[in-house]
Amino acid sequence: MGGITPLVTTALPLANSVIGTVRNAGAGQSSAAAQQAAAQQAAAELEYKRQQDAAQAAAAQAALEQKYREEAAAAERSAQAAAAARQQQAQLEAEAQARQWSHDAELRQREQELQRQKDEAAAAAAAAARAKEMEDFRGSQEQTLAQLRASQEEAVRAKETDAQTQLAQLTAAADAAEQRRLAALRQAVSKTRAGLGARGVTAQDGSGEAILLGLTNSSETEHKDAQATDQLKRAAIQQSLDEAKRRNLLELSQLADRQRLEYMSKFF
């Protein structure tokens, strides 16, 4: 409204001047002049009114434009403030999101670390349990092998004792047979010499010597046959003992192979 006052102030002197002129002219002229002055006065009043209306319209237009400018400036300020608020809110939200992400990442890292520790502990426990199971299984296998070896050694000792008994018996029997053979040979030689002497034949004679030599050779052959039989019996006893030892070694080797396969198939 501040733009209306200058326009009104400018228009009023002009209207007053026109009205004064018309009034002055009316005083010194005829009625026709009075009518003309009235017409001029009316025209002046219309012009005055038109100027007032124009001034008011201009003032209203200026006020409206000023209002639009102020509203536009206010709207711009409001938009800028809203944009700044949105930007600040977005920044706050971004910062909050970043803090949340950082917090979530830290929680995930802690959880991963805890899980890693749990996995390591579980793996260590599983490894310890597996090692113990392997040790127990191997210990059981070694115990079985040791028991078999002990039973075999006991059987071999018994067989060796029996073999020694048999060999001792063979030695005693051979010694007894040798004593009997020598005694029989001496007895036969004595009888033969007595028989030869009764016939007048001495041991130095060819026939007597041949007879005595035949007795000796026959006895020696019997001795060799007995020795050969004794050697065969001794060899059979030793062979039986050796075969038992070989069977034991084979049985131990087969058991060890089976145990190794069982161990590998169970744990690998």
Side-chain angles (χ1 to χ4, degrees), residues 141-156 247-256 258-259:
Q141 287 185 331
E142 290 177 354
Q143 183 179 4
T144 301
L145 194 64
Q147 290 174 350
L148 177 60
R149 186 180 291 109
S151 64
Q152 287 180 347
E153 290 176 353
E154 183 178 357
V156 167
R247 283 195 303 271
N248 289 344
L249 290 175
L250 179 60
E251 188 175 358
L252 286 173
S253 177
Q254 291 175 344
L255 177 60
R258 287 196 304 273
Q259 288 180 341

Side-chain angles (χ1 to χ4, degrees), residues 14 19 73 87 102 109 115 118 128 130 142 169 178 183 205 208 210 215 223 240 266-267:
L14 178 61
I19 293 172
Q87 183 177 1
S102 177
Q109 186 176 3
Q115 187 62 42
K118 290 179 180 179
R130 176 180 171 82
E142 290 177 354
Q169 290 174 352
E178 180 65 13
D205 293 337
L215 291 174
H223 174 62
S240 176
K266 183 175 179 63
F267 296 105

Side-chain angles (χ1 to χ4, degrees), residues 35-223:
Q35 292 177 353
Q36 185 178 1
Q40 290 177 350
Q41 183 179 357
E45 290 176 353
L46 288 174
E47 179 64 20
Y48 172 72
K49 186 176 184 305
R50 185 188 64 79
Q51 290 178 357
Q52 278 190 329
D53 292 340
Q56 291 176 355
Q61 181 66 30
L64 184 60
E65 291 177 357
Q66 181 66 24
K67 179 182 178 181
Y68 287 160
R69 285 193 297 271
E70 291 176 354
E71 289 178 352
E76 184 177 359
R77 288 192 299 271
S78 178
Q80 291 177 352
R86 287 194 301 272
Q87 183 177 1
Q88 184 178 6
Q89 182 64 27
Q91 183 177 358
L92 292 176
E93 291 177 355
E95 292 175 354
Q97 185 66 46
R99 288 193 298 271
Q100 184 63 39
W101 286 346
S102 177
H103 179 68
D104 294 342
E106 184 178 357
L107 288 179
R108 285 195 299 272
Q109 186 176 3
R110 290 179 182 177
E111 290 176 356
Q112 290 174 357
E113 179 63 20
L114 289 176
Q115 187 62 42
R116 184 188 65 79
Q117 293 176 358
K118 290 179 180 179
D119 293 342
E120 288 182 353
R130 176 180 171 82
K132 187 177 185 306
E133 184 181 4
M134 293 171 69
E135 183 180 357
D136 292 343
F137 188 80
R138 191 58 185 168
S140 175
Q141 287 185 331
E142 290 177 354
Q143 183 179 4
T144 301
L145 194 64
Q147 290 174 350
L148 177 60
R149 186 180 291 109
S151 64
Q152 287 180 347
E153 290 176 353
E154 183 178 357
V156 167
R157 284 195 298 270
K159 198 168 185 64
E160 287 177 342
T161 300
D162 184 58
Q164 290 173 359
T165 301
Q166 293 181 26
L167 292 174
Q169 290 174 352
L170 286 175
T171 300
D175 291 342
E178 180 65 13
Q179 293 298 325
R180 288 193 300 272
R181 184 186 69 81
L182 292 175
L185 178 59
R186 286 193 295 270
Q187 185 178 4
V189 170
S190 296
K191 288 182 177 180
T192 300
R193 284 180 176 178
L196 290 174
R199 293 196 303 270
V201 180
T202 63
Q204 287 76 20
D205 293 337
S207 58
E209 185 178 1
I211 293 172
L212 293 175
L213 184 59
L215 291 174
T216 302
N217 290 338
S218 177
S219 179
E220 186 65 27
T221 299
E222 181 182 352
H223 174 62

